[in-house]
Amino acid sequence: MRGKSAIVTGSTSGIGQGVAECLAAAGVNVMLNGFGEASDIEALRARLADHHGIQCRYSPADMSRPDEIRAMVHEAEDAFGAVDILVNNAGIQFVSPVQDFPDEKWDAVLAINLSAAFHAIKAAMPGMRSRHWGRIINIASAHGQVASANKAGYVAAKHGLIGLTKVVGLETAETSITCNAICPGWVLTPLVRQQIEVRAANEGKSFEQAATELLTEKQPSKQFVTPEQIGETALFLCSPGAEQITGTTLNVDGGWVAQ
């Protein structure tokens, strides 16, 4: 993997950071992307570059803006010489019954969780085809296969992302480009932590109680998936052993979807 180059969207925290860490440790140059404090992002970028001896850059591209997504891909190609690996991870959440779901929140969730992946794949695909190699990894969710109430935007977007994965996998099946989706269950990311905090506050429970109940409802293992485990799964999908895995999903969900 050393010398390959990747873009990982939404990689300044959570799952995306876990994926970026694993790729960097394998010698892959990484373009970080996401929001956060500038000093924290620079510290992460410098640490990955120095510790692993790779090139690491950062793009502040807004994943709701197709022009900025295209510019990020072109910037990575200029900086690294190629975008060999594209990990579409950026995502947002909003929880509400359908009748109360704000139109602007629906549009934002679909734009960042689904359309951003389309625009990034479209921009990166010509380079991958010209080099006859590429790995596209879409971070979907257990909610891309099953639903939960009050998450219309997120569930619709993640179902759509799995559909996009299948189409791109078919379109590239005769090439050395693969496209797959990883479907995590509950991962203790800032996004999930926020949901647990809201639940705890609404129900007058401790964070630990609310977290345990959340896991018990959905995830038979009763353990959170870690960002590092998602990163290792992504790394496997880039390996020779995964050359004939394409257009499919890998569940990393503690048994959630098996129920």
Side-chain angles (χ1 to χ4, degrees):
M1 297 296 295
R2 184 160 293 278
K4 299 287 188 186
S5 298
I7 294 173
V8 185
T9 68
S11 51
T12 52
S13 66
I15 290 173
Q17 183 177 336
V19 173
E21 297 262 10
C22 284
L23 291 174
V28 177
N29 301 319
V30 177
M31 173 71 82
L32 299 170
N33 159 263
F35 299 119
E37 292 292 331
S39 58
D40 293 340
I41 294 170
E42 173 55 23
L44 172 62
R45 187 208 64 75
R47 178 173 61 80
L48 292 180
D50 295 343
H51 188 69
H52 300 295
I54 61 157
Q55 296 183 63
C56 188
R57 298 175 70 97
Y58 166 71
S59 168
D62 183 336
M63 290 296 102
S64 69
R65 297 181 178 275
D67 57 335
E68 294 190 23
I69 295 170
R70 288 190 291 270
M72 176 182 64
V73 172
H74 296 150
E75 179 186 348
E77 289 175 331
D78 290 343
F80 303 143
V83 173
D84 304 295
I85 301 162
L86 172 63
V87 182
N88 292 304
N89 167 75
I92 60 172
Q93 175 66 282
F94 189 82
V95 179
S96 171
V98 168
Q99 69 270 18
D100 302 321
F101 212 103
D103 293 350
E104 65 274 13
K105 293 296 185 181
W106 170 271
D107 291 342
V109 171
L110 268 290
I112 293 172
N113 294 30
L114 176 58
S115 296
F118 164 77
H119 293 297
I121 291 168
K122 183 178 178 181
M125 184 62 71
M128 290 182 177
R129 285 190 178 276
S130 71
R131 292 184 299 276
H132 307 289
W133 198 90
R135 295 291 180 266
I136 299 166
I137 300 168
N138 297 320
I139 306 300
S141 171
H143 278 125
Q145 300 179 68
V146 296
S148 292
N150 301 322
K151 295 184 177 181
Y154 190 83
V155 170
K158 294 301 188 179
H159 272 68
L161 188 58
I162 290 176
L164 177 62
T165 298
K166 293 177 180 180
V167 170
V168 176
L170 289 175
E171 291 183 359
T172 57
E174 295 185 22
T175 72
S176 292
I177 300 167
T178 67
C179 182
N180 293 289
I182 298 174
C183 293
W186 289 125
V187 184
L188 197 55
T189 62
L191 195 69
V192 172
R193 182 176 288 276
Q194 184 180 42
Q195 292 182 59
I196 295 170
E197 289 171 347
V198 170
R199 178 174 180 152
N202 289 342
E203 299 179 4
K205 297 175 180 176
S206 69
F207 180 89
E208 291 72 20
Q209 286 175 310
T212 298
E213 289 179 6
L214 185 80
L215 285 169
T216 302
E217 288 172 3
K218 300 287 189 181
Q219 203 144 297
S221 69
K222 298 181 183 178
Q223 297 180 58
F224 284 105
V225 178
T226 69
E228 293 75 20
Q229 288 166 343
I230 303 301
E232 292 292 345
T233 304
L235 196 58
F236 165 69
L237 287 172
C238 297
S239 73
E243 285 181 359
Q244 287 301 309
I245 300 176
T246 195
T248 194
T249 59
L250 276 72
N251 298 334
V252 187
D253 65 357
W256 181 333
V257 176
Q259 300 175 97

